[in-house]
Amino acid sequence: MNPYPEPEAFGDLYESLSEILITADQIQARVAEMGAAISRDYEGCHPILVGILKGVFPFMADLIRTITIPLDVDFMAISSYSPSAREHGVVRMQKDLEEPINGRHVLFIEDVVDTGLTLNYVLRHLQNRGPATLKVCTMFDKSSRRLIRIPVHYKGFDLPDRFVVGYGLDYREMYRNLPFVGLLKAEVFQPGKKA
Ligand code: IMP
Ligand code: MG
């Protein structure tokens, strides 16, 4: 059971999808399993969960409410200088963490790990600050698209090499509010075309 409206209630957003890949029930059940594992593994460690805005916020919000040990939460915001800079994994920090992380047990929370380029850059940045440990927890993993090796310690679901929306993942800033994950119809998803 989940507290969210049925898919059909999302009207035009739902009508734009060709398929639901992962239901809200599946997501909530998996999040609870991940939260239980994190609660066990970090017992007595008082971890700090770090996420990048905006895509991760629904997952972060659900996940922390399934973790039963004391923890802190912090967020960063980043933006790409340009598409080519992004290809090299170079990003600009728009909002840094508010808390120091040296000596802390840092658990990095991601919505989706795709090529891994952005995450690799951010992880190096965090590692330089001397955390006691630094691990990665992602809701979705597109491992077939990886261009750089990223250690993923907690993973919700594997995704195919397709563009998906929902549960924080957007297409032109929309669809983040869907409590499930789906594929967009071909006529809706036009990556080349300007919004
Ligand atoms: P990468 O791992 O550096 O390629 O970047 C991953 C980022 O690309 C994620 O944090 C998302 O913001 C975005 N992204 C990757 N795949 C998807 C998708 O299927 N839908 C929406 N956003 C995606
Ligand atoms: Mg993201």
Side-chain angles (χ1 to χ4, degrees), residues 1-43:
M1 262 303 286
N2 72 72
Y4 305 111
E6 289 300 313
E8 296 75 18
F10 288 88
D12 287 349
L13 295 174
Y14 174 70
E15 294 301 326
S16 305
L17 304 181
S18 61
E19 196 184 325
I20 292 179
L21 292 180
I22 308 172
T23 67
D25 279 340
Q26 289 175 313
I27 288 175
Q28 295 305 320
R30 188 75 189 106
V31 169
E33 289 172 358
M34 296 169 86
I38 291 166
S39 303
R40 267 196 316 272
D41 297 349
Y42 285 87
E43 177 82 60

